[in-house]
Amino acid sequence: MRFFGGWSYNNDVLNAKDWVHQSYANGVPMGADLPPMKGTAPTFVVWAVKDPTSGNLDRIQIIKGWTKNGQSFEKIFDVAWSGDRKLNKWTGRVPAIQSTVDLERATYTNTVGSAELKTVWTDPEFDASLHAFYYARVLEIPTPRWTLIQAVKAGVPPPDIVPLTGQERAWTSPIWYTPSAEARKNAPAGMTVADLKKKGAAALGDAQLKTLVVGKAFWVRNNVTGDQFSVTYTAEGQSNVWHVGTSATIPSSVGDPLRSGYDGTTTPYKIENGKVVTIISQDPFAVTIYKLGDTYYGARSNEFGYANYEIIPTPQIVSNPLTAMINQFSIDLGLSEQQKQQIAPFLKQELMQLADLKKNTSLTPVQKLEQLKQISSSVEAKITPILDPAQQKKFQAMREENRRKLIEELGRKLLQRTESELKQLM
């Protein structure tokens, strides 16, 4: 692998015979710091070639990390990939490549993937005021995991508690970006504990915390990212975070709130020494809650003195999902007021039908899937004629993504039910 970063790479630099020389001349290699900023965003040149004795390449990813107001983040960008796969417009990720692994023989074929991948990529979300790092990672196509290979050689069933395949990978050293003093001055200041105390905020004691949180559920906003989520603290000492979507920018060291909220997996918590202490992967993280007027702010122990969280009223999307849905449609599709009034009754009808479908325990997941398709098709047939051609194209893309997510959920539940029934039979 080769990985370079700079401010002035041309998109066609990889077509030059001396592209490596140009990359050194106009930037820095992996492991170095980006030179002082000379453009609007850094550009990276990345190249990878397969190991002659291993699998073809699936994709190249660039992983970006950054910090803001005491919170650290990472994000994965798919930047180059084999085949004609397309980026998902909602997630920005490329679908999984086909697996050629023969599980009975523990073999694979290089009939998919590429021998070489390369690209020039510019960070689309660059913020000149934030410290950041970038490194490249290349993934091979799926190949048999060593546990499967050993099991096949020994003639025994493979273990069922680990994956049977894996994707070998290689990665580069990072390239670092440090903002200038002037850029740092222009960054919006976050709320700190010191700021709160200057304004007269007081930290809650144990008794006040128990009154506020135990047996309660409330909405919180991360003021660094703007994301909103619901937090539940049961009287039995368990907590959970709900309504975290795949588009949320999640700080590090928070566990897996997306999956935990989806699956209903709880995390132990306790109140001691004026803090709400949550155990995440066996490590304790404490939140001190401050009250300023009628507003409550939360300062997490690993966020360097920032009070990044605020308890907020229930968002409109929860208190009035129909209004929230109409507003989102209006923004995404550019609806006129007349179109909004025409579409509202159809969306209301769909919400009621989906709610009834969710409550119906007499249907199997497959039957629910068929009902879902019928409900969606009926509503789309009524809404589509109201939209102009450009709106219709966006509408169909939105509906396909929503339908995919619902189908995945039903499919997962069907798989869980099947596994449960098999365990009972065994």
Side-chain angles (χ1 to χ4, degrees), residues 47-123:
W47 168 88
V49 64
K50 74 180 290 291
D51 185 317
T53 63
S54 191
N56 280 343
L57 306 184
D58 167 16
R59 69 188 70 196
I60 296 177
Q61 299 174 324
I62 289 182
I63 292 83
K64 175 186 178 181
W66 69 100
T67 61
K68 184 176 181 181
N69 295 351
Q71 293 183 353
S72 58
F73 305 90
E74 285 192 6
K75 185 171 182 178
I76 300 172
F77 296 88
D78 289 334
V79 299
W81 53 90
S82 63
D84 58 358
R85 293 171 289 168
K86 304 295 183 184
L87 282 173
N88 182 300
K89 67 173 293 185
W90 306 111
T91 65
R93 302 296 300 277
V94 175
I97 196 169
Q98 175 189 352
S99 175
T100 64
V101 175
D102 184 329
L103 297 178
E104 293 185 0
R105 296 180 175 83
T107 60
Y108 72 96
T109 61
N110 274 326
T111 53
V112 298
S114 298
E116 178 187 37
L117 292 173
K118 57 185 178 179
T119 194
V120 178
W121 178 82
T122 300
D123 181 3

Side-chain angles (χ1 to χ4, degrees), residues 14-61:
L14 283 163
N15 296 327
K17 292 183 179 179
D18 63 341
W19 71 267
V20 174
H21 175 76
Q22 290 189 35
S23 297
Y24 274 108
N26 296 318
V28 296
M30 54 181 154
D33 290 278
L34 282 168
M37 186 174 175
K38 294 181 180 180
T40 57
T43 297
F44 299 90
V45 179
V46 59
W47 168 88
V49 64
K50 74 180 290 291
D51 185 317
T53 63
S54 191
N56 280 343
L57 306 184
D58 167 16
R59 69 188 70 196
I60 296 177
Q61 299 174 324

Side-chain angles (χ1 to χ4, degrees), residues 230-234 237-244 254-269 278-281 412 416:
S230 176
V231 181
T232 301
Y233 293 99
T234 71
Q238 296 293 321
S239 65
N240 204 345
V241 177
W242 310 86
H243 301 281
V244 180
V254 293
D256 190 352
L258 179 62
R259 179 171 295 279
S260 296
Y262 188 73
D263 291 340
T265 304
T266 57
T267 301
Y269 81 94
T278 306
I279 308 300
I280 300 174
S281 299
R412 188 179 66 85
Q416 288 177 340

